[in-house]
Every structure is written in structure tokens, then in C-alpha cells.
């Protein structure tokens, strides 16, 4: 059964009606188009799906979307400030 999940995504209040068992990674990529968060192992080992959850790094591939209700998520797309790339974003650009 779908639920409305409300949270803050890259500084913007957001809500989505969705099956609460879907992973945050899948929701970010397919529902919000935030493809900077990558799928690697899908088991919480590699870190390619890492996002900030209330300023703490978490693996989004194993995190149910229901666990982020009322919390703040920052993806790599949300790291830039004042039009300038964050050092992590710049590293991705520099290293392809
Ligand atoms: Fe590897 Fe999430 S995809 S830790």
C-alpha cells in the first residue's frame, strides 16, 4: 500500500506517494531524476549510493524510503553553493 512520504530534498520540502518499501536510491533516480547517486553493489558495501541524511552519510541502496520521513536528504546534486561546485562534485568532473 502506498504512503505519502514527506521530507526535504536538497533544501526543498518534498512529498511523494509511493510504496514505503522502495529504496531511497531507486526513488532518487527514477522519481526525482537525481542520477548523480549511483547504483554499485546494491548491498551497502561500495558507497556509490551515498547521500547525506540529516548531515550523516548513509547508503541509500539499502534504506527504505519510509525511513526518511521528516528528514533532510542531500544528494551530490545538492552540494553546490552559490553556483560553485563542491569539492566532491569537482572531483567527479576532474576524474570523469
Ligand atoms: Fe553499493 Fe549502495 S550501491 S553501497
Amino acid at each position: 500500500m502506498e504512503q505519502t512520504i514527506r521530507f526535504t530534498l536538497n533544501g526543498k520540502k518534498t512529498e511523494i506517494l509511493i510504496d514505503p518499501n522502495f529504496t531511497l536510491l531507486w526513488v532518487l533516480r527514477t522519481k526525482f531524476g537525481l542520477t548523480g547517486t549511483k547504483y554499485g553493489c546494491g548491498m551497502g558495501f561500495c558507497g556509490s549510493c551515498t547521500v547525506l541524511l540529516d548531515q550523516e552519510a548513509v547508503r541509500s541502496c539499502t534504506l527504505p524510503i519510509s525511513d526518511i520521513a521528516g528528514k533532510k536528504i542531500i544528494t551530490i546534486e545538492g552540494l553546490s553553493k552559490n553556483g560553485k561546485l563542491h569539492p566532491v562534485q569537482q572531483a567527479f568532473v576532474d576524474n570523469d
Side-chain angles (χ1 to χ4, degrees), residues 2 6 15 25 34 37-38 40 44 48 50 53 57 84 88 95:
E2 292 185 332
R6 293 180 179 84
E15 68 177 43
L25 174 62
L34 296 171
T37 307
K38 305 297 186 193
S48 63
T50 300
L53 170 64
K84 289 191 171 188
V88 173
N95 296 289

Side-chain angles (χ1 to χ4, degrees), residues 7-54:
F7 58 104
T8 302
L9 179 57
N10 293 336
K12 183 179 173 186
K13 291 194 182 284
T14 306
E15 68 177 43
I16 187 168
L17 180 63
I18 197 159
D19 181 329
N21 297 309
F22 282 128
T23 66
L24 175 59
L25 174 62
W26 185 87
V27 174
L28 290 172
R29 292 182 58 85
T30 63
K31 298 297 185 184
F32 292 100
L34 296 171
T35 56
T37 307
K38 305 297 186 193
Y39 180 85
C41 66
M43 297 185 290
F45 297 126
C46 73
S48 63
C49 65
T50 300
V51 299
L52 296 177
L53 170 64
D54 287 347

Side-chain angles (χ1 to χ4, degrees), residues 74-87 89:
I74 298 176
T75 68
I76 192 163
E77 291 91 343
L79 291 177
S80 60
K81 288 188 179 159
N82 302 321
K84 289 191 171 188
L85 293 179
H86 183 276
Q89 293 171 314

